Amino acid sequence: MAVRKVIRFPNPILKTPTLKVDVIDNDIKKLVEDMFETMYAEDGVGLAANQIGEPLRIMVIDTTPKKESPPIKLVLINPELLHAEGTIKYKEGCLSFPGLTVEVERYSRVKLKALDLQGEEKEYEFEGFPAIVFQHELDHLDGITFIDRVNGLKRRLALERYSKLQKQYSRG
Ligand code: NI
């Protein structure tokens, strides 16, 4: 297991849609371990494989640090959205945009299917915070980041805030 480096915006890897996993072999299992370890090291609640440079449709979620809903800890391989309804707004963060939060509107309820680490297809229903995390990570797998979910002035201000934050971080 290893903590991997998280890729930051505007690295083009984050804009590239990921590929379906064909076989869940030991390399994939090791990658999933690294993803959990990296997510915990960075205090995240979700991580997509392309955020650590692996262009595959895998996400990990652990909402335990957010005590507002029953905790969900999952690895989702080749996830597909089956149904979505309602709306919810939330100030999201992203490990690929350190320090930045952006209010994004998403579906409040989702139904999805995905393979687990044993290759079994399972269906899930999430509501509220876990639904937000799932949609944020599913976007990553499609090469979409949270600033692509806001537009106009909101997006421009978020990008300006991020560029200031980056200067702060690089000064240390
Ligand atoms: Ni993110």
Side-chain angles (χ1 to χ4, degrees):
M1 296 223 289
V3 173
R4 308 263 293 259
K5 196 171 163 358
V6 176
I7 287 170
R8 291 182 180 180
F9 180 85
N11 189 313
I13 288 172
L14 296 173
K15 290 210 133 195
T16 310
T18 53
L19 303 168
K20 267 195 166 184
V21 174
D22 285 331
V23 186
I24 300 168
D25 57 14
N26 283 335
D27 285 346
I28 295 291
K29 288 176 182 166
K30 197 189 163 303
L31 170 62
V32 168
E33 285 181 4
D34 286 357
M35 287 172 68
F36 273 112
E37 203 173 328
T38 305
M39 178 178 73
Y40 293 138
E42 302 277 339
D43 291 323
V45 290
L47 187 77
N50 48 335
Q51 287 183 280
I52 57 169
E54 305 286 348
L56 294 167
R57 296 189 72 78
I58 305 172
M59 68 168 82
V60 295
I61 295 177
D62 189 347
T63 64
T64 308
K66 292 273 168 187
K67 297 188 174 73
E68 63 197 65
S69 51
I72 284 167
K73 182 184 172 181
L74 280 175
V75 49
L76 301 173
I77 300 171
N78 299 341
E80 278 177 53
L81 187 63
L82 298 175
H83 182 74
E85 62 183 40
T87 57
I88 187 168
K89 278 186 183 172
Y90 190 83
K91 259 197 172 178
E92 299 181 10
C94 180
L95 297 182
S96 294
F97 293 75
L100 185 70
T101 56
V102 179
E103 189 183 67
V104 180
E105 184 175 305
R106 299 197 186 267
Y107 295 113
S108 56
R109 275 221 286 252
V110 294
K111 192 175 166 189
L112 58 121
K113 65 174 184 179
L115 301 179
D116 66 13
L117 214 44
Q118 282 70 48
E120 242 177 89
E121 189 176 276
K122 289 187 175 159
E123 285 192 11
Y124 304 90
E125 284 184 47
F126 299 149
E127 189 173 356
F129 187 72
I132 293 168
V133 178
F134 171 74
Q135 291 167 85
H136 179 114
E137 303 311 330
L138 189 66
D139 272 355
H140 273 304
L141 298 181
D142 291 329
I144 297 166
T145 61
F146 67 165
I147 54 155
D148 298 321
R149 290 293 182 192
V150 294
N151 41 41
L153 184 63
K154 221 173 156 185
R155 182 189 161 94
R156 214 172 66 227
L157 290 173
L159 285 168
E160 276 173 24
R161 280 205 309 281
Y162 180 62
S163 106
K164 279 183 197 152
L165 283 165
Q166 273 198 314
K167 277 173 205 154
Q168 279 172 25
Y169 276 87
S170 62
R171 272 204 299 271

